[in-house]
Amino acid sequence: MCATALGGSGVLHPSTQKATPPSCQEKGESLADSVQTMSCYSDVLVLRHPQPGAVELAAKHCRKPVISAGDGVGEHPTQALLDIFTIREELGTVNGMTITMVGDLKHGRTVHSLACLLTQYRVSLRYVTPGNLRMPSDVFHFVASKGIKQEEFENIEEALPDTDVLYMTRIQKERFSSIQEYEACFGQFILTPHIMTRAKKKMVVMHPMPRVNEISVEVDSDPRAAYFRQAENGMYIRMALLATVLGRY
Ligand code: ASP
């Protein structure tokens, strides 16, 4: 199998002072052309792109399988697969679970994909967000159309007692137009050992990583903290996905 990378900034890296050559995209090549060229050298393409919908567009121009590694604030489907796998590994099943998503649900692509994939199961969803970072209405309406109950809460403590999966996310700094806007939302929801005393004994804390400050490091030693096991599951799920796509299993 051949791996493909699209990138390059044409700027000097401070530690090496070596210039990175500009990528074909920076030279003005269209995404469709880049993808068609890369597919000549690869068996499968894994593409991360800042524009929602770009990966879907790329797949239309590609004669090889394209796996989305995230498209801006759009979706992150392989993360959703590994999240569901982690819930099954940790709790034995997904059906019947109450899943509470916390943080920046507006910009967080992982929660968009996870909420949509969870409609395949009998679950109930809870959202805890700053007022301006709520789950986008298209995702909310899609989930509702599948008959899944969704509730919004103002803080973790209120949502926690019935929660089976607490899915923490960071505030997506890079998605804000000003640092002031970001700082106004930052640090509102931080999971601490004290808050964890209100949680069920059999419950899991998950996070798509990277963590900034939304889970205090003291929570790491709690057996319910599953986020590093979740990260490891990401490797297995993506290995399985590549094997499936390439027909090698
Ligand atoms: N790693 C995840 C993503 O690529 C989550 C995040 O960046 O906050 O979306």
Side-chain angles (χ1 to χ4, degrees):
M1 187 190 71
C2 181
T4 290
L6 297 174
S9 61
V11 294
L12 290 179
H13 190 276
S15 61
T16 60
Q17 292 298 297
K18 280 188 190 142
T20 323
S23 69
C24 291
Q25 296 258 297
E26 283 160 336
K27 289 178 184 172
E29 187 178 58
S30 69
L31 179 62
D33 279 10
S34 300
V35 160
Q36 288 185 92
T37 308
M38 287 302 180
S39 65
C40 301
Y41 313 137
S42 314
D43 300 306
V44 58
L45 266 70
V46 179
L47 177 62
R48 172 166 284 189
H49 198 282
Q51 207 69 48
V55 183
E56 199 177 344
L57 179 81
K60 292 198 175 110
H61 293 277
C62 191
R63 59 200 168 89
K64 301 283 173 61
V66 178
I67 296 176
S68 170
D71 62 343
V73 298
E75 294 248 13
H76 198 344
T78 67
Q79 179 73 44
L81 289 174
L82 78 90
D83 291 342
I84 299 269
F85 179 78
T86 301
I87 297 171
R88 289 187 60 169
E89 284 288 292
E90 297 285 329
L91 299 175
T93 181
V94 180
N95 283 316
M97 297 299 160
T98 295
I99 294 129
T100 299
M101 302 180 186
V102 182
D104 185 350
L105 306 192
K106 178 181 177 190
H107 303 115
R109 55 191 169 202
T110 70
V111 285
H112 304 162
S113 291
L114 181 58
C116 292
L117 194 54
L118 281 169
T119 63
Q120 300 291 318
Y121 298 86
R122 197 169 27 80
V123 293
S124 145
L125 301 185
R126 296 182 163 191
Y127 306 139
V128 182
T129 67
N132 54 338
L133 300 179
R134 294 164 67 198
M135 187 63 96
S137 59
D138 58 330
V139 178
F140 196 93
H141 288 127
F142 175 78
V143 172
S145 75
K146 300 290 174 187
I148 303 286
K149 183 173 169 200
Q150 301 171 92
E151 294 169 284
E152 296 187 295
F153 291 84
E154 279 176 8
N155 56 59
I156 302 178
E157 289 91 327
E158 247 180 83
L160 200 54
D162 296 323
T163 293
D164 300 294
V165 176
L166 185 66
Y167 194 97
M168 300 295 296
T169 67
R170 72 184 170 97
I171 305 296
Q172 307 259 310
K173 189 178 186 179
E174 68 277 25
R175 312 284 179 206
F176 288 80
S177 44
S178 75
I179 190 76
Q180 290 80 358
E181 221 186 304
Y182 165 70
E183 279 168 357
C185 309
F186 183 69
Q188 282 188 32
F189 304 116
I190 299 178
L191 185 65
T192 60
H194 178 68
I195 296 178
M196 284 294 282
T197 60
R198 293 180 170 222
K200 287 183 177 181
K201 292 270 169 291
K202 192 174 177 203
M203 185 270 248
V204 279
V205 182
M206 294 172 59
H207 193 303
M209 302 301 219
R211 158 176 63 182
V212 182
N213 72 337
E214 53 283 341
I215 303 176
S216 90
V217 290
E218 288 80 45
V219 176
D220 293 2
S221 54
D222 188 308
R224 295 167 290 186
Y227 29 93
F228 291 113
R229 296 191 289 275
Q230 177 188 1
E232 184 175 335
N233 289 339
M235 177 177 64
Y236 304 130
I237 284 292
R238 286 162 180 144
M239 285 167 71
L241 186 60
L242 284 170
T244 305
V245 165
L246 294 166
R248 292 173 196 166
Y249 48 85

